[in-house]
Every structure is written in structure tokens, then in C-alpha cells.
Amino acid sequence: MITLSIRYTIEARKRPDFERYARSLTKIVPRCGGDLVGYWLPTKFAGPTNEALALISFPSLAAYEQYRERLAKDANHHSGCVSLSFRRQAETG
């Protein structure tokens, strides 16, 4: 199994946009072959309020590569990203 960890840095005024983006991926990620473990959004009670985290698992590196290809072609994913401005860092492990 391989798990993709994506850390997002979000502008405070863009948080509602990011929340909509994260909710839309609950349908897109499985359709493209990933297992969405979850999204963790910032909260005032714990840690920085401008960071979010996503975890997506795959049974193999080959499955992850197929997911990337499908996601790149997914029109719903692209339309959801256009209006956002956030920085993301992805790590696999």
C-alpha cells in the first residue's frame, strides 16, 4: 500500500473555496482510483489556521500512477481547481 499525503497552505479568505474543493474530491478521488482517507481542515483550536492535510491511499505504485493519469483528464477536478489559489506539497510513502 502507498499513501499520498498532501499538505495545503490556504489563504484565510479562500478557506470556504478550499472546503468546497475538498468536498468535491470525495467523489472525484474514488472515481479516479484512489481511496480518500480524509481531509483535515484548519481549526482555531489546534495548530495553524492556514494549513490543511489530505491522505489518499492506493494498493500499489502502479495504481497511484493510474490515478494521476485519470485525475489529469478529469474535467470536474480541473474546474474545481481553477478558482483556487493555494500551495500544496505532496509526499508519497
Side-chain angles (χ1 to χ4, degrees):
M1 176 170 287
I2 185 168
T3 300
L4 173 65
S5 169
I6 308 170
R7 183 182 326 201
Y8 299 90
T9 302
I10 309 163
E11 294 177 35
R13 63 186 177 82
K14 294 278 192 169
R15 182 177 170 166
D17 294 336
F18 182 82
E19 288 184 32
R20 279 191 298 279
Y21 165 79
R23 287 189 205 314
S24 75
L25 287 182
T26 62
K27 295 178 183 155
I28 295 169
V29 168
R31 183 174 62 230
C32 291
D35 178 20
L36 181 61
V37 177
Y39 271 90
W40 287 266
L41 297 173
T43 147
K44 293 179 182 177
F45 302 110
T49 58
N50 68 333
E51 291 184 4
L53 177 69
L55 296 176
I56 305 170
S57 291
F58 307 91
S60 66
L61 183 57
Y64 168 64
E65 292 298 331
Q66 291 172 346
Y67 164 82
R68 288 179 48 133
E69 289 176 16
R70 291 177 188 141
L71 190 64
K73 296 174 184 174
D74 192 289
N76 290 332
H77 179 252
H78 288 288
S79 66
C81 290
V82 169
S83 65
L84 291 178
S85 111
F86 54 83
R87 188 177 74 225
R88 75 178 199 176
Q89 300 171 332
E91 299 175 5
T92 56

